[in-house]
Amino acid sequence: MKLPVSWLYDFVDVRDVPVEELAHRLTVSGLEVGEIRFVGWKMPVRAEGEKQAFKISGLEWDPEKFVVAEIRAVNPHPNADRLVLCDLFDGQQERVVLTGAPNLFEYKGKGPLDKPLKVAYAKEGAVLYDGHKDGWHLTKLKKAKIRGVVSDSMVCSEKELGISEEHEGIIIFDDDAPVGVPLADYIGDAVLDIDILPNNARNANVLGIAREVAALFDRPLRKPETSLQTVGESLLGKARIEISDPALNPRFMLGLIRDVQIGPSPYWVQRRLRLAGMRPVNNVVDATNYAMLEIGEPLHAFDYDVLRQRAGGDPVTIITRAARDGEKLVTLDGEERTLSSVNVLVCDARGPLSIAGVMGGLESEVTENTRNVLLEAAAWNYINIRRTANQHALHSEASYRFSRGVHPALAEDGLKRGLYWMAQWSGGQVAPDFIDNYPLPPKTVRVQISSNDVRRLLGLELSAQEIAALLGKLEFACEVDGETVTATVPPFRMDIGEGVIGRADLAEEIVRLYGYDRLPETGVRDVIPPRPVNPLYDLEETLRDSLVKLGLQEVVNYRLTAPEREARLYAAAPEQAPAESDYVRLANPIAPEKRVLRRHLLASVLDVLERNQRLDDSLAFFEIGPVFIPSDGPLPDEPHELALVMQGARREPAWDDARPPQLDFFDLKGVLEALLADLQLGPARFEPLRDHPFFHPGKAARMIVQEQEIGLFGQLHPLVQDACELDKAPVLAALIDLDGLLNAAPRRAIRPISPFPPVLEDIALVVDEEIPAGQVEALIRQTGGKLLADVRLFDVYRGEKIGAGKKSLAYSLTYQAPDRTLTDKDAAKLRKKIIKRLERELGAQLRG
Amino acid sequence: MLDKLQQIETAALTALDAVQDEAALDAWRVRYLGRQSELMQVFSGLGQLSKEERPAVGRAANQVKVKLEAALDEKRAALKEAALERALREEKVDVTLPGRAPRRGRLHPSTQTLRRILGILGEMGFQVFTSREVELDEFNFQYLNFPPDHPAREMQDSFYVEAGERGDNPVLLRTHTSPGQIHAMRYYAAMNPDNPPPIRIALPGMCFRYEQITARSEVQFNQVEGLVVGENVTFSDLKGTLAEFARRMFGPQARVRFRASYFPFTEPSAEVDVECFVCGGKGCPVCKHSGWLEILGCGMVHPVVLQNGGYDPQRYTGFAFGMGPERQAMLRHKIEDIRYFWGNDIRFLKQF
C-alpha cells in the first residue's frame, strides 16, 4: 500500500517525527516500508558513511524556487499558436511565464481572469523532472529564448514535480491555494510503500496505519469525521435488502445521496489518490475510493435512477446470492463475464447488478449523467472473493481488501465516510437513514492472558497492568484481575483467535508495542535433546567428501524434467524406457520440459556433461539426491541415488603434456574402489554386466560388496552416448545404490603394522585369455593366507612370446609375518604352494 | 731415487692443477696413484734397493703418496663444490610457466553454503533432520495452520502432482521445509507420547515454488529451518539464538534487526535482517540501498502447529526459523543470477 504521509497526519499528529523514523518504527512493528518516495518534502541528508535504512527516492522542492502562484491573464504568444504567455503573480512579483499547457488554452486572450488560476510555479534555477522525456530525468531551469520570448521559469505539471506521470497539462490548484507559500509547505509529501502481510489486512488503509502509529508513538488517534447532515425523504421504504446466505454476505448496507453534480474532485483529493496509486475519475467515484483508502471498507456506487427504473415503481430490492453456473453479467469494463457458483452476485429483482466485492456491472454504474447515488457498503466471505478475483483475473483495490477479510463492522464507518465526502465534493444531499441488513455479526472475542503467559511465551517480565496498558493502545478493552488480563478484541480485527491461539496472537501485539528491538537476547536453557538417527544423510555427506577428494565436481540439478530427456538413456533398448505414466507428473507444469519428477539421476548428470562438453578437457561430475518413483499410495517413493560420470583427459593437460590419455573403464573403477576404501568397505567383487541398456556390454560391471550388489558402472553404451549428443571420447558412468551402501558393514578395526621385514618377490603367470585377472588374484590371496600381506598386479602382457589366446599376468607379492622375520625358505614354500594351486586350478604356467 | 720422487710429486701436483672435472680426476688418480703409476713402481721396486737406501726411500715415497692422496681429496671436494655452484647458477625454470593442475573436485556452492549453515547450527546443538520432497497438502499447509483458501497460500504458489481427485488434500512439491516440523515433532512425540522430549533440529532440503524462472526467482531452492521445542523456550531465546547464529555466520560484528512479520505457522513472527556485509550498512546495490539484508524468517511455533505435532501448546512452546542457502551464497559471492545454481556450468562451479 502506498501511503501519502500528509494523509496520515489527518488522523495522527506526528509532524515532529522525521519520516525515516516513522518508516523505521512501522517496519520494525510489522508494516514493512520498502521505499520512501519524497514528493516535495525535504529529503534526509546523510553524512558520509552514515547508515542507511530505506531506499529513498523522489524530489524535494526548494522552498525558494517552488511557490504557489496565480495566473491573472493568459495571452497569446506573438510567434506560436501552441504557446501562451501568462501574467503571473508569485506572491512577491509579477512575471510573464511561457507555457504550452493545453488546459490554459480556453483562457487565452480573454483578458484579466475573474478568478485567477492557482498554479505550481518554478523559478529560475529550480531542479525538477523533464516533462517531455520518458522516465525520470532531472533538469535545472535556465533562462532561454523560446520563439523570441525570454523564459526563465515555468508553471508545472504533476510529472515535472514528481507527483505522477500526468503531463497533459499544468496543475490547477483549488481556489483557496495560498499564493506565495512554498509549494512544499502546501502540497509537499512523502509516500511510504508499505508491504501489507496477510495478518495486517486490517491495516490496508490510512486509518489502520494511523492507529498503529498512534499506538507506537503514544499519540491520540483522531477518528475520521462522519457526521452527516441529512435532507429530504428517508431511504427507509424505498429500498430493501435480501441476503440469501449470510455466510457469503454477513452484512449489507445502503445509503442514498441525492442531486449530486458529477465533476472532477478537488485537486488535493486527486493528488492524494494518485500518490496512493489510484486514478481519479469523478467526485462520486473518487469519494468511494478515497473513503476506502481511509477506512478500509470498499464501497460501490449505483446509479439510483437506473435501479428505480428497473424496479418499475416498486421499491428497489437488492438480493445477494451465489451466481448460477453459466450466468452472465457485463461488468463495467465492458466485458461479458460467465459466472460460476463460487461468485457472489448483487442483484435486483430483474437480475445481476454487480459481482460482489470485485467489480460493478456496466448498466447500473455511475455516469456523468447520474443525479442520485445509492451507495453500497457490505461484508463478504473472503474465500469467495479470492476465488472470484482469481477466476476472472479481476484484481482491484476492492477485491484486494475483501479477499483478505474486511470486518463487517467497517461497513457503517465506510458508508458514512463515503457519503460525507460525496456530499462535500459533489454538492449532493444525503437522505436520512440507512438500510442495514446484518444477519451474521461476528462474535466478540475475549482472550485471557497472564503475566506468566507473557513470561513463558516472550521471556518478558510484565505486570498485568503493563500488559493491559500496551493492549489498550491498540483499542483492546482490558480488565485486570490479579495477574490476568481479559482483553476484548476491538471490532475491526479478525486476526485474533481464542484460547491458547489468542494468547499467542496477543503475545505478538504485546511484543510489537513493547518493541522487538528492546526484547532481550537469551539462550535456550533446555538440555540438548537426543540426536535423531540419520544414517542416510551422514552417508551422503561422507560420499560427497570422498568424491570431491577423488577429483569429481558435485552438481545439483532440477528435480523436474521430461520423460523424453530420460528416454535417451534407453536409446539402446527403447522398449524398456519408462512410460509417461511411470513418472510422478505435475498437474500444473511451468514448461513442458519440466513436467515430471526425475526417475534417473544419471540422466540429470549426463545433461550436465552435455552442457559442459566443450568447456573443459576433463569432466567428472556426480550428484547425490532423490529420484521419484510412483507408488501405490498418493505419495511417491523417494529413494536417494548417487550417479557419477567422467569423460575426457585422465589428467588436466599441461604445457608439456598437451594430450594426456583418455579416461577409461579402469579410471572409473579406481575411483569406485577408492570410494569404498573411504567408507571402509571392500574389497569389492566385480562381475561383468552384459545386458544393461545403459552400458557397453563388454565394458561394464556390477560392484558387489559383502555379497550385495551396490552399484553398476562402465562405459556408456555408444547409442546412449549418441542420443545424449556427447562427444566421441568414452563416457564412464556409475550408479550407486545408497541403501546398499548403508546396509554394508564397514570394517573399522585397522591392521597392526608388523615390525618384521617383508620378503618381496615377483611372479609372472601365463593363463588363458578367458580367465579373469580377479580370479587369479583371489586364488593367490586365498592360498597365500595370512602370511601374504599384499598382492599387486603390475603388468599384463600379450604377445608372440607366449602365444595366441594367452596372457601373462605379473604380480608383485609381499610376504610378511606379524611375529617373526620370514626366511627365504618360508617364502619359497608359500610360493610353491601358490604356483601349484594356480597350475592345478587355472592351468597357469609360471613364465620363465 | 729421492730426486725421482720429488719429480713425481711435482709432476703430479702440476697435473692436478690442470684437472677440471671428475673424469680427468679419475684419469689423474690412475696415472699418479694407480697400480701402474711411477709412484707405485717405486714402492714395488723398494726390494731391489740397498738395505741402507730402503728406509729413506720408503719413507719419502709414503710421504709423496699421502700428499697426493690428500691433494686428490681436496681436489675432489673442490670440483664437487664447483659443480654444485655451477648447477645452482645455471639450472633454472621459468617460474611463470603454469603449474600442472591436479584434478580437483568441488562441492556445489549450495552444498557448501548448506554445510556452513548446518555446521554453525550443529555447534549450537541443532541436529539434522530430513524429510520427503513430495508432500500432502495437509503436511505442507494445513497442519501448519494454512487452511484451504488462506491468503498466505498466495505467498507460496505450488506445483501440484497428478494424483487423482483428492479434494482438499492434494499432493504437491513442498514449498518449504516446514512440513518437516510436523514430521519431526511426531517422530519425537512418538518416543514418549505423554511426555514428549525437547527438540532442537535443523531441517535442510530442496523446496519448490511455482514461479517463472528468472535471474531473481527459481522453481527450486534449498531451505534450512531450525526448530526448537521445549517447556522453557521463549521469544527472547529465539532472538538470542539468531543473534548468536548471525555472529557466527557473518562475523562477530554482525548487527541484526528483529522486526515483526507474519507467517501462518508462527505467532509472534519476525523477520531478521543482518546489516549488509557488503557495504557495512551504508547502502549499496546488494542491499537495495537499505543497509540491511533480509536473511531469515522466524517466530514462535503456532499453538495449532504444536498441537498437530503432538505437543500440548499449554505446556510446550517452541520457535522456528528458516533461511535460504542460495540467497546467502548470492549475497556472499555477489551472484546476480540465481539460475547459475542449477545451470551447473563448470565455469561457475569452478569458482568455488
Side-chain angles (χ1 to χ4, degrees):
Chain A
M1 164 162 185
K2 291 188 166 56
L3 173 74
V5 175
S6 71
W7 202 343
L8 183 73
Y9 293 166
D10 290 358
F11 303 115
V12 58
D13 189 352
V14 282
R15 285 177 170 81
D16 55 322
V17 178
V19 173
E20 274 192 301
E21 165 74 6
L22 183 65
H24 173 75
R25 292 286 286 276
L26 284 172
T27 297
V28 170
S29 70
L31 289 160
E32 188 185 354
V33 176
E35 181 176 350
I36 309 174
R37 184 165 75 93
F38 283 83
V39 189
W41 281 351
K42 195 165 170 45
M43 292 171 73
V45 183
R46 288 202 184 80
E48 181 67 25
E50 197 184 334
K51 309 278 185 201
Q52 185 151 1
F54 299 94
K55 184 177 176 193
I56 303 252
S57 66
L59 178 67
E60 82 178 48
W61 305 329
D62 184 339
E64 304 283 322
K65 302 273 170 28
F66 292 89
V67 294
V68 179
E70 62 182 25
I71 295 176
R72 294 173 169 177
V74 181
N75 302 313
H77 188 288
N79 307 320
D81 285 349
R82 306 187 63 177
L83 295 175
V84 294
L85 298 173
C86 306
D87 292 340
L88 174 141
F89 178 64
D90 69 4
Q92 290 171 328
Q93 292 180 26
E94 295 197 353
R95 291 168 183 269
V96 173
V97 180
L98 178 146
T99 179
N103 58 340
L104 289 183
F105 287 4
E106 58 177 293
Y107 305 102
K108 185 161 79 172
K110 298 211 168 146
L113 300 173
D114 299 339
K115 205 166 69 175
L117 299 168
K118 304 291 177 68
V119 294
Y121 176 59
K123 302 179 186 174
E124 184 178 2
V127 174
L128 38 60
Y129 292 111
D130 188 332
H132 299 284
K133 282 191 186 155
D134 284 341
W136 301 97
H137 300 279
L138 286 174
T139 180
K140 191 171 189 173
L141 276 186
K142 291 187 199 109
K143 193 172 277 187
K145 212 174 212 180
I146 297 173
R147 298 273 184 120
V149 176
V150 172
S151 163
D152 62 359
S153 62
M154 67 190 284
V155 285
C156 304
S157 69
E158 288 203 338
K159 169 146 190 187
E160 282 151 351
L161 293 173
I163 295 171
S164 75
E165 302 206 346
E166 271 300 312
H167 189 56
E168 277 301 293
I170 59 158
I171 304 172
I172 297 179
F173 291 137
D174 303 325
D175 294 339
D176 58 0
V179 173
V181 165
L183 199 59
D185 293 346
Y186 180 49
I187 58 154
D189 220 324
V191 181
L192 306 182
D193 192 351
I194 300 176
D195 189 12
I196 303 284
L197 295 172
N199 67 330
N200 254 321
R202 68 178 186 285
N203 288 331
N205 52 75
V206 182
L207 181 61
I209 295 170
R211 187 180 287 114
E212 292 281 323
V213 169
L216 292 171
F217 289 90
D218 225 351
R219 304 280 169 96
L221 180 71
R222 282 198 298 262
K223 296 267 173 90
E225 176 64 50
T226 53
S227 58
L228 298 169
Q229 284 199 319
T230 56
V231 177
E233 278 185 76
S234 165
L235 176 59
L236 297 176
K238 299 196 182 318
R240 49 189 217 90
I241 299 160
E242 285 176 18
I243 293 173
S244 59
D245 183 354
L248 296 179
N249 179 199
R251 187 177 196 180
F252 198 106
M253 289 187 77
L254 287 170
L256 178 65
I257 181 165
R258 297 190 178 97
D259 295 326
V260 299
Q261 298 271 322
I262 301 285
S265 301
Y267 176 72
W268 65 269
V269 174
Q270 298 189 33
R271 186 185 67 91
R272 279 187 175 174
L273 287 173
R274 284 210 182 90
L275 291 180
M278 293 194 83
R279 196 172 48 86
V281 180
N282 60 45
N283 47 14
V284 167
V285 173
D286 290 354
T288 64
N289 287 332
Y290 192 92
M292 170 183 71
L293 292 174
E294 282 192 320
I295 309 291
E297 167 72 22
L299 302 170
H300 184 69
F302 291 103
D303 186 321
Y304 179 53
D305 297 314
V306 172
L307 298 191
R308 273 211 310 193
Q309 203 175 9
R310 282 169 63 103
D314 292 334
V316 171
T317 303
I318 296 291
I319 303 155
T320 70
R321 60 169 171 84
R324 287 181 283 272
D325 281 319
E327 207 169 353
K328 290 188 163 59
L329 173 68
V330 179
T331 45
L332 61 86
D333 53 3
E335 294 267 326
E336 187 184 68
R337 308 274 172 180
T338 303
L339 306 169
S340 75
S341 60
V342 78
N343 309 140
V344 183
L345 292 177
V346 177
C347 311
D348 65 3
R350 295 265 306 274
L353 296 170
S354 70
I355 305 178
V358 175
M359 194 177 245
L362 188 62
E363 187 185 348
S364 55
E365 201 56 24
V366 169
T367 67
E368 56 192 27
N369 300 318
T370 298
R371 300 278 302 169
N372 303 306
V373 173
L374 193 61
L375 190 60
E376 163 198 327
W380 307 103
N381 183 313
Y382 76 87
I383 293 174
N384 295 82
I385 303 297
R386 152 173 251 86
R387 290 187 175 174
T388 300
N390 287 337
Q391 180 190 340
H392 297 290
L394 279 174
H395 296 280
S396 61
E397 293 283 340
S399 71
Y400 170 86
R401 286 172 175 76
F402 277 133
S403 66
R404 280 161 179 75
V406 174
H407 197 289
L410 293 189
E412 187 171 348
D413 296 342
L415 184 64
K416 285 178 176 170
R417 189 65 166 173
L419 290 169
Y420 173 85
W421 288 126
M422 252 178 235
Q424 293 231 336
W425 304 336
S426 71
Q429 294 176 321
V430 179
D433 304 313
F434 302 133
I435 299 174
D436 183 5
N437 193 342
Y438 196 179
L440 191 63
K443 76 174 182 187
T444 304
V445 177
R446 286 191 182 81
V447 185
Q448 287 197 331
I449 187 163
S450 68
S451 296
N452 190 43
D453 295 324
V454 169
R455 186 182 311 117
R456 200 173 78 91
L457 289 166
L458 300 176
L460 285 179
E461 295 292 339
L462 294 178
S463 69
Q465 279 73 20
E466 288 171 310
I467 294 167
L470 289 172
L471 291 174
K473 292 183 186 184
L474 286 175
E475 301 181 30
F476 286 85
C478 294
E479 289 165 37
V480 175
D481 178 13
E483 283 308 299
T484 301
V485 177
T486 304
T488 304
V489 178
F492 46 81
R493 294 191 67 151
M494 300 173 80
D495 60 320
I496 306 290
E498 293 181 286
V500 67
I501 298 169
R503 278 196 282 286
D505 292 333
L506 289 191
E508 175 161 284
E509 297 307 294
I510 291 164
V511 68
R512 278 197 320 118
L513 292 175
Y514 179 83
Y516 273 49
D517 47 347
R518 286 173 63 207
L519 198 67
E521 294 178 3
T522 55
V524 180
R525 281 148 294 165
D526 278 345
V527 292
I528 297 182
R531 186 176 199 275
V533 183
N534 204 334
L536 179 64
Y537 174 80
D538 294 343
L539 172 70
E540 289 179 5
E541 288 292 86
T542 309
L543 288 172
R544 285 191 179 96
D545 283 337
S546 178
L547 289 164
V548 163
K549 190 173 68 180
L550 293 166
L552 283 85
Q553 169 66 52
E554 188 192 19
V555 295
V556 180
N557 279 286
Y558 287 110
R559 272 36 166 182
L560 299 171
T561 185
E564 59 272 17
R565 295 296 287 176
E566 298 205 335
R568 304 187 305 171
L569 285 175
Y570 292 89
E575 72 287 353
Q576 292 180 39
E580 186 107 10
S581 59
D582 294 327
Y583 282 90
V584 176
R585 284 161 293 148
L586 294 186
N588 57 335
I590 203 149
E593 70 273 14
K594 290 192 171 59
R595 68 182 188 274
V596 300
L597 288 170
R598 68 183 177 195
R599 280 184 70 106
H600 287 295
L601 202 52
L602 182 57
S604 300
V605 185
L606 284 172
D607 269 342
V608 175
L609 189 64
E610 181 196 339
R611 268 177 277 149
N612 286 289
Q613 280 282 274
R614 300 282 151 71
L615 296 178
D616 215 341
D617 299 290
S618 181
L619 297 167
F621 298 110
F622 76 93
E623 179 165 7
I624 295 174
V627 294
F628 302 85
I629 314 294
S631 73
D632 294 338
L635 294 173
D637 292 330
E638 300 181 8
H640 284 219
E641 285 188 354
L642 159 61
L644 60 92
V645 300
M646 302 168 76
Q647 188 190 26
R650 184 177 294 170
R651 302 183 290 273
E652 295 287 343
W655 45 273
D656 59 347
D657 184 18
R659 292 181 188 283
Q662 284 186 337
L663 289 160
D664 68 16
F665 179 90
F666 297 101
D667 293 291
L668 175 58
K669 186 177 173 188
V671 165
L672 296 177
E673 287 173 320
L675 187 66
L676 290 181
D678 272 355
L679 298 173
Q680 294 180 303
L681 293 174
R685 194 152 58 76
F686 296 91
E687 289 179 357
L689 174 68
R690 302 218 182 278
D691 51 359
H692 196 287
F694 301 174
F695 296 107
H696 187 305
K699 297 181 178 177
R702 291 172 213 287
M703 182 159 71
I704 296 158
V705 171
Q706 296 166 10
E707 296 313 311
Q708 198 187 348
E709 178 179 299
I710 53 129
L712 308 175
F713 70 98
Q715 188 173 325
L716 208 60
H717 196 291
L719 292 176
V720 178
Q721 192 162 347
D722 280 354
C724 293
E725 293 168 49
L726 296 166
D727 287 350
K728 288 291 164 237
V731 173
L732 294 317
L735 295 167
I736 307 295
D737 169 17
L738 299 190
D739 283 336
L741 285 181
L742 268 187
N743 291 335
R747 171 187 49 73
R748 301 257 181 246
I750 58 110
R751 275 187 301 271
I753 298 167
S754 171
F756 300 98
V759 179
L760 307 176
E761 89 175 336
D762 295 344
I763 56 172
L765 297 155
V766 177
V767 293
D768 285 348
E769 186 66 73
E770 292 312 309
I771 294 175
Q775 201 179 342
V776 177
E777 184 176 325
L779 207 58
I780 295 174
R781 284 187 187 277
Q782 202 185 358
T783 315
K786 280 187 180 143
L787 295 180
L788 181 63
D790 198 18
V791 179
R792 192 170 59 83
L793 178 70
F794 69 88
D795 189 36
V796 179
Y797 173 78
R798 295 178 181 84
E800 285 176 16
K801 286 186 198 163
I802 53 169
K806 300 274 185 190
K807 63 187 172 191
S808 161
L809 304 171
Y811 292 93
S812 164
L813 308 182
T814 306
Y815 307 108
Q816 195 171 29
D819 51 355
R820 65 194 164 97
T821 303
L822 287 184
T823 63
D824 289 348
K825 218 169 132 191
D826 294 325
K829 212 166 120 189
L830 268 173
R831 170 193 160 93
K832 199 170 159 193
K833 200 170 135 192
I834 289 168
I835 290 168
K836 217 164 171 183
R837 183 137 182 228
L838 289 170
E839 284 172 349
R840 192 174 65 239
E841 294 190 16
L842 300 177
Q845 289 174 302
L846 192 64
R847 194 173 159 212
Chain B
M1 204 51 166
L2 292 172
D3 287 349
K4 190 179 174 195
L5 280 168
Q6 185 60 50
Q7 281 165 16
I8 289 171
E9 183 186 322
T10 310
L13 291 178
T14 310
L16 189 60
D17 273 349
V19 166
Q20 293 292 343
D21 55 32
E22 283 282 336
L25 190 64
D26 274 343
W28 180 91
R29 188 182 51 78
V30 171
R31 168 132 187 233
Y32 294 101
L33 286 167
R35 213 169 288 163
Q36 306 299 320
S37 64
E38 280 183 273
L39 181 61
M40 290 305 150
Q41 281 163 14
V42 172
F43 279 108
S44 51
L46 279 179
Q48 288 144 31
L49 293 179
S50 70
K51 214 171 166 185
E52 294 73 27
E53 264 184 320
R54 209 183 293 159
V57 172
R59 204 178 308 118
N62 210 40
Q63 277 169 358
V64 171
K65 183 180 172 221
V66 168
K67 209 165 176 178
L68 291 188
E69 278 174 349
L72 172 68
D73 287 347
E74 198 182 324
K75 186 72 184 183
R76 182 168 280 142
L79 279 181
K80 204 168 161 188
E81 196 179 328
L84 179 64
E85 255 174 45
R86 197 167 50 246
L88 293 179
R89 197 170 56 245
E90 289 172 4
E91 291 171 9
K92 49 184 155 185
V93 297
D94 177 355
V95 297
T96 65
L97 280 173
R100 289 187 197 94
R103 262 188 102 82
R104 198 158 71 84
R106 299 159 205 84
L107 290 170
H108 189 277
S110 290
T111 306
Q112 293 187 22
T113 315
L114 271 168
R115 283 197 175 181
R116 221 178 119 77
I117 293 168
L118 292 172
I120 290 167
L121 290 176
E123 291 164 12
M124 296 170 68
F126 289 80
Q127 310 285 354
V128 171
F129 188 100
T130 50
S131 67
R132 52 181 313 118
E133 294 183 7
V134 183
E135 277 288 3
L136 296 173
D137 189 273
E138 273 176 347
F139 280 84
N140 194 74
F141 288 128
Q142 294 170 39
Y143 294 147
L144 293 166
N145 196 34
F146 290 77
D149 282 301
H150 192 279
R153 286 189 177 214
E154 266 175 26
M155 296 154 78
Q156 301 194 4
D157 284 335
S158 313
F159 281 112
Y160 290 93
V161 166
E162 298 263 13
E165 181 44 52
R166 297 191 45 79
D168 272 346
N169 195 18
V171 177
L172 45 77
L173 309 191
R174 65 175 174 191
T175 56
H176 47 185
T177 48
S178 309
Q181 292 187 21
I182 301 291
H183 292 301
M185 281 193 262
R186 290 185 175 186
Y187 166 88
Y188 278 98
M191 290 177 181
N192 188 352
D194 295 331
N195 222 1
I199 298 175
R200 198 183 307 181
I201 52 169
L203 303 131
M206 196 65 86
C207 306
F208 306 85
R209 301 258 171 106
Y210 185 93
E211 298 208 25
Q212 294 305 320
I213 300 175
T214 68
R216 292 265 139 212
S217 69
E218 255 294 1
V219 292
Q220 78 177 29
F221 55 91
N222 277 290
Q223 221 179 43
V224 180
E225 264 185 85
L227 173 70
V228 174
V229 179
E231 293 184 70
N232 260 319
V233 180
T234 71
F235 200 47
S236 297
D237 293 346
L238 169 60
K239 191 178 177 191
T241 301
L242 292 179
E244 178 62 23
F245 173 79
R247 285 190 289 269
R248 291 180 187 226
M249 186 81 192
F250 304 107
Q253 312 306 321
R255 288 207 311 157
V256 297
R257 181 171 79 171
F258 217 55
R259 59 185 162 82
S261 190
Y262 170 74
F263 305 101
F265 43 103
T266 52
E267 186 80 18
S269 303
E271 199 88 51
V272 179
D273 302 333
V274 64
E275 199 169 75
C276 179
F277 46 71
V278 176
C279 63
K282 288 178 197 130
C284 71
V286 175
C287 60
K288 293 187 206 139
H289 301 283
S290 75
W292 295 96
L293 298 170
E294 230 177 85
I295 55 153
L296 277 165
C298 65
M300 297 300 287
V301 180
H302 197 283
V304 166
V305 178
L306 285 171
Q307 190 78 55
N308 288 332
Y311 281 75
D312 177 4
Q314 306 277 6
R315 179 174 158 198
Y316 291 91
T317 52
F319 64 69
F321 53 89
M323 66 193 102
E326 282 84 34
R327 175 168 160 72
Q328 293 198 4
M330 288 176 82
L331 296 172
R332 175 173 290 272
H333 300 292
K334 300 187 185 161
I335 300 167
E336 295 196 340
D337 193 332
I338 196 172
R339 288 169 296 196
Y340 282 179
F341 284 92
W342 321 135
N344 293 307
D345 187 308
I346 193 76
R347 293 167 294 184
F348 171 67
L349 298 173
K350 269 187 165 180
Q351 296 183 53
F352 291 90

